[in-house]
């Protein structure tokens, strides 16, 4: 998405439409969730198979002040966290820098449970967010693509906001907030199905929006959306930094996870799998063997990622009824160094570190 596109509008909930019916969502039984994607930020670089950066300045539709860069000064993994860092510095004509990362074009989902464990700092004019946009934004624009804000925090407030934005003969929005000590780690999440979007803080629901039968023109929320993590400096809603604002300001993200309703499988197919890689480390001209052991009849995706986050090999693994798979990874042309092999399936995600000497 070009950085000059207006992607979201923020402000008080002043939409003139009556959304009384938004609260009357059908009562849904507790779901059985299966992890389908995650980033645990436990490799030494940002995973390029999961995230792309949006870069540039221009206000982002909200009169923000930052320049979003793809530099490690603004986004880096450290001690199992993603750090998004807002800095006060002169850079390409802007006085502030930060980062904005998204899964657009790489990963998107329709319905599910989406959550992240996040810790924030608190300063005036700082606006961190964990949110989603419709994958079709480049075709239909905003707000017709739909937007789900899972977590937004502004200034030094002790609360978090959850909001949905869509088109109903013009921009419409509906949302709420709950008390939150943002300087502590919290799990911010939604549960989203074909009837409602429900917002959660640390597993406790605090808000709900009805999308059943496209009520109030909410058809946007029945199509794929991608995830965004960013931290804005200034903007229409939070206002702007002043002398009390402390830089650098950091957003710590422990993980991002996406679950979908578990398929009806025998209980054995719901068990976790194991993955090992040997020999490890391995010398030149030695292709390691990946051993996956699961409940059987499972499909996995394996990706080998180098130390700068590039996917150097990817393949699909079909584990048969025996539950045991051995496959050789082609590594003879890879340079020496540290690699991470990510194995992803309906029953979880594993990361195996491998060293080529």
């Amino acid at each position: 998405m070009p950085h000059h596109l207006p992607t979201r509008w923020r402000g008080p909930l002043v939409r003139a439409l009556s959304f009384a019916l938004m609260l009357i969502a059908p009562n849904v039984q507790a779901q059985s969730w299966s992890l389908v994607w995650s980033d645990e930020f436990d490799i030494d670089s940002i995973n390029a198979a999961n995230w792309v950066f949006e870069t540039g300045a221009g206000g982002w539709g909200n009169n923000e002040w930052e320049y979003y860069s793809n530099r490690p000064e603004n986004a880096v993994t450290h001690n199992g966290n993603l750090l998004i860092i807002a800095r006060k510095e002169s850079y390409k004509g802007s006085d502030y820098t930060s980062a904005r990362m998204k899964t657009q074009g790489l990963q998107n989902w329709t319905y599910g449970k989406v959550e992240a464990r996040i810790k924030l700092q608190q300063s005036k004019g700082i606006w961190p967010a964990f949110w989603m946009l419709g994958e079709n934004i480049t075709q239909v624009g905003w707000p017709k693509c739909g937007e789900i804000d899972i977590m937004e925090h502004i200034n030094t407030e002790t609360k978090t906001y959850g909001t949905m934005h869509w088109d109903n003969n013009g921009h419409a929005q509906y949302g709420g907030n709950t008390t939150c000590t943002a300087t502590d780690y919290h799990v911010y999440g939604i549960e989203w199905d074909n009837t409602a979007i429900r917002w959660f803080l640390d597993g406790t629901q605090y808000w709900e929006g009805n999308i059943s039968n496209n009520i109030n023109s909410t058809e946007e929320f029945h199509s794929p959306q991608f995830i965004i993590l960013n931290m804005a400096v200034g903007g229409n809603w939070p206002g702007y930094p002043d002398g009390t604002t402390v830089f650098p300001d950091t957003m710590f993200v422990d993980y991002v996870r996406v679950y979908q309703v578990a398929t009806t499988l025998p209980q054995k197919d719901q068990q976790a799998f194991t993955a090992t890689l040997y020999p490890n480390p391995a010398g030149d001209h030695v292709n390691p063997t990946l051993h996956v052991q699961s409940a059987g009849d499972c499909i996995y995706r394996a990706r080998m990622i180098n130390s700068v986050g590039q996917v150097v090999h990817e393949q699909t693994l079909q584990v048969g009824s025996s539950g045991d798979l051995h496959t050789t990874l082609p590594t003879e042309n890879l340079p020496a160094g540290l690699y991470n092999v990510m194995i992803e399936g309906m029953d979880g995600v594993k990361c195996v570190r491998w060293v080529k000497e």
Side-chain angles (χ1 to χ4, degrees):
M1 180 172 59
H3 73 264
H4 60 272
L5 281 176
T7 59
R8 55 178 180 163
W9 179 92
R10 293 293 182 272
L13 302 180
V14 296
R15 178 66 179 164
L17 289 172
S18 171
F19 292 122
L21 290 177
M22 296 298 295
L23 288 170
I24 311 174
N27 185 19
V28 178
Q29 299 294 322
Q31 303 279 15
S32 176
W33 298 106
S34 178
L35 182 70
V36 296
W37 179 87
S38 74
D39 199 325
E40 308 294 321
F41 303 111
D42 55 0
I43 63 176
D44 296 332
S45 58
I46 294 170
N47 189 341
N50 288 339
W51 305 98
V52 295
F53 285 89
E54 286 191 281
T55 60
W60 298 85
N62 306 294
N63 295 313
E64 299 165 19
W65 282 358
E66 78 287 328
Y67 186 102
Y68 283 128
S69 89
N70 58 2
R71 305 173 304 157
E73 289 88 345
N74 295 118
V76 67
T77 55
H78 179 69
N79 288 340
N81 276 244
L82 167 69
L83 278 57
I84 294 181
I85 307 166
R87 298 182 180 275
K88 185 176 183 180
E89 59 177 338
S90 179
Y91 185 78
K92 295 190 175 182
S94 297
D95 293 326
Y96 300 89
T97 62
S98 188
R100 174 166 160 146
M101 301 164 50
K102 61 182 182 177
T103 68
Q104 185 180 19
L106 300 172
Q107 310 285 346
N108 62 77
W109 304 269
T110 304
Y111 311 138
K113 179 167 75 169
V114 184
E115 63 182 24
R117 186 170 183 261
I118 298 172
K119 179 176 73 170
L120 305 169
Q121 295 178 250
Q122 291 183 297
S123 293
K124 187 177 186 309
I126 302 299
W127 182 9
F130 164 45
W131 52 300
M132 303 180 75
L133 279 174
E135 186 71 25
N136 63 349
I137 186 170
T138 56
Q139 287 80 46
V140 303
W142 185 92
K144 287 183 180 293
C145 64
E147 173 181 336
I148 304 171
D149 301 324
I150 303 172
M151 180 281 295
E152 293 184 285
H153 182 85
I154 60 169
N155 301 324
T156 58
E157 290 186 355
T158 55
K159 55 187 171 183
T160 184
Y161 293 85
T163 313
M164 53 195 285
H165 298 258
W166 73 102
D167 179 70
N168 188 351
N169 295 316
H171 170 239
Q173 64 180 40
Y174 180 76
N177 62 76
T178 190
T179 300
C180 176
T181 54
T183 52
D184 298 323
Y185 278 105
H186 293 283
V187 177
Y188 302 91
I190 58 165
E191 292 185 7
W192 169 31
D193 58 32
N194 64 354
T195 65
I197 303 169
R198 304 170 184 87
W199 281 261
F200 292 80
L201 177 65
D202 295 326
T204 299
Q205 182 177 335
Y206 70 91
W207 199 251
E208 182 169 336
N210 186 2
I211 60 172
S212 182
N213 299 316
N214 297 334
I215 186 172
N216 292 324
S217 299
T218 52
E219 59 271 11
E220 290 92 327
F221 301 109
H222 301 286
S223 297
Q225 297 220 347
F226 59 89
I227 291 172
I228 304 172
L229 293 166
N230 75 288
M231 184 154 59
V233 179
N236 295 335
W237 185 25
Y240 297 91
D242 62 15
T244 67
T245 307
V246 178
F247 289 97
D249 193 300
T250 305
M251 175 181 180
F252 300 85
V253 185
D254 183 21
Y255 59 75
V256 181
R257 295 172 181 167
V258 179
Y259 304 78
Q260 292 187 322
V261 176
T263 55
T264 305
L265 296 172
Q267 185 59 39
K268 69 183 182 69
D269 289 333
Q270 301 293 338
Q271 299 172 9
F273 68 95
T274 62
T276 55
L277 197 60
Y278 61 91
N280 190 7
D284 201 10
H285 306 299
V286 176
N287 290 329
T289 297
L290 176 64
H291 178 205
V292 177
Q293 196 164 28
S294 73
D297 293 323
C298 296
I299 297 176
Y300 299 93
R301 179 177 65 165
R303 292 177 294 163
M304 178 170 278
I305 303 162
N306 65 17
S307 61
V308 296
Q310 297 172 320
V311 178
V312 296
H313 175 70
E314 180 172 341
Q315 69 184 76
T316 300
L317 309 176
Q318 175 72 59
V319 180
S321 57
S322 69
D324 209 51
L325 173 73
H326 295 261
T327 187
T328 300
L329 299 183
T331 62
E332 62 271 13
N333 295 321
L334 295 179
L338 173 66
Y339 296 85
N340 289 278
V341 179
M342 302 291 293
I343 303 98
E344 302 166 272
M346 290 294 291
D347 49 355
V349 179
K350 304 291 183 184
C351 179
V352 181
R353 296 196 175 206
W354 179 72
V355 175
K356 182 171 184 180
E357 296 179 327

